[in-house]
């Protein structure tokens, strides 16, 4: 869906389809019929934005066949769906029984990651609506933190330079700008906005910037306004934001709190847990935080990287980091900073919640409720519905149709 910022920019809000497991084109379309269409109807929106996730096989097939991409665009349009952003973080197998650390492979030292991202860029350039000149792709923040050496960073630099050349050529050929947004995540080389300043400051902002996942920001106990000011001073644009909440345990020494946290331990995804410092401490998953030699000290609150529905609280005594989300939305849309125009809810963990939705209707209702909550928050922050009958154009360059 589209909203207009008081400064005049269009802001796009959608939901990320990495919540759905399909990894081929027929399966993707079937799941959009099962979920995205009912979500759009529940929201009573003429057009619904989706942050599309394409596994590497389908991305490669679409990039190799412009006709196939055009066909996908027509299918999306027929369903009242539009795409301005892609999720390029998971490479494949995001809904296997066990994902854990595999989601960080291949990392940015490898040509495979660059080729995947370049394929996504070509696909996105073909999917953008006619009146939208810029798209974004979120991606992992270089890789998992373990064993990084200077030669690994040199490899990353080479892959990013090569991708930059491809993005520049794509823009020259199509008139469409596609920008890559690195997403800081707990446990990765780039975990915090301070890490982002260290590793991303030298990248060309015409092609590269940051995706702010607000769950991740909260797990790191960062203050949104301070984090965004830090990025602005470093010249790192926040190209995209993922609307998400983490788990907050105010008293992790409490037996009921620990039992509640243990209910969120599950085998598919990592749920990195951090203790508020100083000193800052953390573990790679919930069980490690609760027991054994890596158990976290109590005394200060903990936060856990488990994307919980943004509109609903977990069962007490756990709470949500929704206050951080509200603060982040306000900071992202303030008028004294460049506005982040691509927003998506990204609760990919519905199926592994302690009480998951029981059927298709339940999941569609949950996704719609998250978007309705976010839409309401954005309207309260001063955004408005675009005027009916007015041509809605973004500030980015529009495509040269003769070049296609």
């Amino acid at each position: 869906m589209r909203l207009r910022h008081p400064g005049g920019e269009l802001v796009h809000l959608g939901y990320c389809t990495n919540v759905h497991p399909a990894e081929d084109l027929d399966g993707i379309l079937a799941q959009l019929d099962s979920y995205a269409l009912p979500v759009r109807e529940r929201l009573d929106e003429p057009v619904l934005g989706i942050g599309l996730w394409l596994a590497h096989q389908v991305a490669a097939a679409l990039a190799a066949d412009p006709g196939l991409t055009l066909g996908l665009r027509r299918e999306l349009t027929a369903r009242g769906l539009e795409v301005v952003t892609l999720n390029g973080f998971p490479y494949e197998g995001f809904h296997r029984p066990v994902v854990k650390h595999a989601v960080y492979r291949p990392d940015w030292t490898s040509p495979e990651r660059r080729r995947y991202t370049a394929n996504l860029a070509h696909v996105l350039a073909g999917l953008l609506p006619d009146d939208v000149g810029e798209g974004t792709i979120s991606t992992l923040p270089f890789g998992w933190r373990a064993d990084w050496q200077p030669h690994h960073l040199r490899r990353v630099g080479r892959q990013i330079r090569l991708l930059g050349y491809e993005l520049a050529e794509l823009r020259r050929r199509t008139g469409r700008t596609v920008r890559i947004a690195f997403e800081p995540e707990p446990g990765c080389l780039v975990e915090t906005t301070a890490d982002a300043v260290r590793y991303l400051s030298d990248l060309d902002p015409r092609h590269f910037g940051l995706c702010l996942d607000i769950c991740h920001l909260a797990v790191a106990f960062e203050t949104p306004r301070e984090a965004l000011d830090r990025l602005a001073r470093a010249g790192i644009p926040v190209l995209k934001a993922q609307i998400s909440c983490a788990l907050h345990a105010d008293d992790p020494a409490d037996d009921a709190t620990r039992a509640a946290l243990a209910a969120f331990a599950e085998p598919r995804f990592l749920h990195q847990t951090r203790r508020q410092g100083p000193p800052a401490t953390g573990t790679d998953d919930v069980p490690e935080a609760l027991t054994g030699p890596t158990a976290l000290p109590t005394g200060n609150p903990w936060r856990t990287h488990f994307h919980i529905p943004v509109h609903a609280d977990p069962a007490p005594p756990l709470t949500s980091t929704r206050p951080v989300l509200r603060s982040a939305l306000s900071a992202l849309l303030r008028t004294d900073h460049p506005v982040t125009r691509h927003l998506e809810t990204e609760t990919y963990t519905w199926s592994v919640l302690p009480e998951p939705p029981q059927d298709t209707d339940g999941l569609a209702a949950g996704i719609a409720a998250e978007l309705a909550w976010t839409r309401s928050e954005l309207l309260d922050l001063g955004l408005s519905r675009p005027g009916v009958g007015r041509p809605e154009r973004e500030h980015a360059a529009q495509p040269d149709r003769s070049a296609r």
Side-chain angles (χ1 to χ4, degrees), residues 192-375:
T192 66
T193 56
D195 296 330
V197 170
R198 178 181 178 186
Y199 290 108
L200 305 181
S201 294
D202 293 335
L203 300 185
D204 187 342
R206 294 174 299 175
H207 300 140
F208 303 102
L210 185 131
C211 172
L212 188 73
D213 187 303
I214 299 166
C215 168
H216 303 173
L217 187 82
V219 171
F221 289 93
E222 293 200 67
T223 302
R225 187 169 288 259
E226 293 176 0
L228 290 169
D229 285 346
R230 180 180 299 115
L231 295 168
R233 287 193 300 271
I236 299 171
V238 180
L239 304 175
K240 172 178 177 177
Q242 290 174 326
I243 312 304
S244 53
C245 288
L247 286 170
H248 179 92
D250 199 57
D251 182 9
D254 172 64
D255 288 343
T257 299
R258 297 176 75 83
L261 271 175
F264 284 86
E266 54 83 25
R268 180 172 296 158
F269 302 118
L270 279 183
H271 300 296
Q272 303 92 317
T273 300
R274 298 290 183 266
R275 174 187 181 271
Q276 187 174 19
T281 51
T283 64
D284 290 348
D285 219 337
V286 172
E288 300 165 12
L290 292 169
T291 60
T294 61
L296 290 180
T298 57
N300 284 354
W302 294 0
R303 288 179 179 168
T304 295
H305 174 218
F306 196 118
H307 288 220
I308 59 172
V310 301
H311 66 290
D313 289 319
L318 298 178
T319 58
S320 162
T321 59
R322 193 180 304 111
V324 179
L325 174 55
R326 281 196 165 107
S327 177
L329 287 174
S330 177
L332 284 164
L333 298 170
R334 55 201 262 209
T335 56
D336 60 336
H337 273 256
V339 172
T340 298
R341 293 188 286 117
H342 294 175
L343 309 177
E344 66 180 15
T345 59
E346 203 224 4
T347 303
Y348 59 84
T349 46
W350 284 96
S351 65
V352 295
L353 288 167
E355 296 183 7
Q358 296 303 303
D359 54 24
T360 299
D361 288 344
L363 179 54
I367 294 169
E370 287 196 297
L371 284 168
W373 180 90
T374 307
R375 179 177 62 187

Side-chain angles (χ1 to χ4, degrees), residues 104-114 140 142-144 148:
Y104 307 108
R105 298 190 294 269
D107 64 26
W108 270 100
T109 64
S110 69
E112 289 79 11
R113 175 60 63 173
R114 171 179 53 81
L140 75 160
F142 293 7
W144 190 248
W148 278 82

Side-chain angles (χ1 to χ4, degrees), residues 67-122:
L68 196 60
T69 300
L70 180 60
L72 175 57
R73 181 180 171 180
R74 288 171 175 159
E75 295 284 356
L76 293 168
T77 301
R79 291 164 171 79
L81 305 174
E82 70 175 10
V83 174
V84 301
T85 189
L86 300 178
N87 188 323
F89 198 126
Y91 184 75
E92 64 180 351
F94 193 53
H95 288 268
R96 289 172 180 163
V98 179
V99 179
K100 300 292 183 182
H101 293 86
V103 75
Y104 307 108
R105 298 190 294 269
D107 64 26
W108 270 100
T109 64
S110 69
E112 289 79 11
R113 175 60 63 173
R114 171 179 53 81
R115 283 195 290 268
Y116 171 49
T117 309
N119 284 338
L120 291 176
H122 285 274

